[in-house]
Amino acid sequence: DAGVTQSPTHLIKTRGQQVTLRCSPKSGHDTVSWYQQALGQGPQFIFQYYEEEERQRGNFPDRFSGHQFPNYSSELNVNALLLGDSALYLCASSLTPGYETQYFGPGTRLLVL
Amino acid sequence: DQQVKQNSPSLSVQEGRISILNCDYTNSMFDYFLWYKKYPAEGPTFLISISSIKDKNEDGRFTVFLNKSAKHLSLHIVPSQPGDSAVYFCAASGGVDSNYQLIWGAGTKLIIKP
């Protein structure tokens, strides 16, 4: 049973560029959440996708957008990258939107220069 | 405004002894709490949770205690093993009123000494 997978594992971009991160949820899960984890901090909720729609959103600007596909996989897009976007981006899946226990992927480490 | 606080950035414990990790919260609407463990280069792994209707939940070597009046929870690991060395995160949810969104603490790095 495959767990949550994310790609790529590492990424280096320059300011102003755009990036797309990908996530495949755990088998049987239909809800995907994205988090940003800065160094020395806990994960910060970006948004959650369910039934191919954004259901919830944290306190992140519109530069952060996402998508969920019919197979429940998801993408996180960040436009006009800033230095402060450098972080570990975590994807988590759960059985339903109302199920607090989430299963995390290994994350994508993004460095913006 | 940090709604979930883990005030100890790190904790060092002798192998075989008890590890106690603490977490405080400010939002009285939180009704579900979770602990996650994170190894380097891996995502957080769910460890144990507790609902606000309980004051204790146990799973093997791991026990979580909740003191609602003090808005405090703790994770006890007995006995501590070298493989327990990791960063531990406390997370809280306000249930349906907050769309089940998890609010996370900054984590405590646990080091188990042989």
Side-chain angles (χ1 to χ4, degrees):
Chain A
D1 177 24
V4 179
T5 60
Q6 292 186 244
S7 63
T9 55
H10 294 83
L11 205 50
I12 300 175
K13 292 284 187 179
T14 56
R15 280 181 299 175
Q17 285 190 311
Q18 178 263 344
V19 68
T20 297
L21 310 181
R22 295 177 176 82
C23 171
S24 290
K26 183 177 169 63
S27 178
H29 287 187
D30 60 9
T31 303
V32 173
S33 301
W34 286 93
Y35 292 84
Q36 180 194 67
Q37 186 179 11
L39 207 58
Q41 297 182 22
Q44 299 288 316
F45 175 75
I46 302 175
F47 43 53
Q48 183 183 78
Y49 276 84
Y50 172 67
E51 293 187 337
E52 301 179 49
E53 289 188 6
E54 183 183 295
R55 296 288 173 152
Q56 303 178 52
R57 190 177 185 91
N59 190 24
F60 279 80
D62 292 344
R63 298 187 297 109
F64 290 77
S65 64
H67 190 77
Q68 186 179 35
F69 299 94
N71 67 353
Y72 309 126
S73 67
S74 177
E75 287 181 350
L76 164 66
N77 300 292
V78 187
N79 294 322
L81 284 167
L82 304 174
L83 296 180
D85 295 331
S86 295
L88 178 69
Y89 288 85
L90 294 163
C91 169
S93 72
S94 55
L95 281 172
T96 66
Y99 197 69
E100 285 102 336
T101 304
Q102 299 179 2
Y103 295 82
F104 284 81
T108 294
R109 176 73 63 186
L110 172 64
L111 177 62
V112 182
L113 301 176
Chain B
D1 176 28
Q2 274 188 293
Q3 297 187 68
V4 177
K5 298 180 184 179
Q6 294 177 257
N7 291 319
S8 299
S10 66
L11 177 67
S12 186
V13 174
Q14 202 74 35
E15 181 180 357
R17 307 291 286 267
I18 182 171
S19 294
I20 300 176
L21 297 106
N22 294 304
C23 178
D24 296 294
Y25 61 96
T26 57
N27 190 337
S28 58
M29 299 303 291
F30 288 149
D31 62 1
Y32 196 76
F33 304 88
L34 307 91
W35 285 94
Y36 280 81
K37 178 170 75 173
K38 186 179 185 302
Y39 293 119
E42 293 184 15
T45 303
F46 170 72
L47 203 53
I48 193 169
S49 61
I50 188 167
S51 165
S52 60
I53 62 172
K54 294 185 173 182
D55 55 17
K56 177 182 174 181
N57 189 25
E58 195 170 353
D59 184 2
R61 296 186 298 114
F62 302 91
T63 303
V64 56
F65 296 91
L66 176 61
N67 182 335
K68 284 184 64 179
S69 60
K71 295 192 179 67
H72 176 84
L73 65 155
S74 60
L75 174 68
H76 292 211
I77 306 173
V78 184
S80 300
Q81 299 174 354
D84 296 330
S85 294
V87 177
Y88 289 78
F89 291 97
C90 166
S93 168
V96 63
D97 292 338
S98 67
N99 287 319
Y100 302 100
Q101 197 176 122
L102 292 182
I103 307 299
W104 296 70
T108 295
K109 184 175 184 178
L110 177 63
I111 300 165
I112 305 301
K113 300 181 291 184

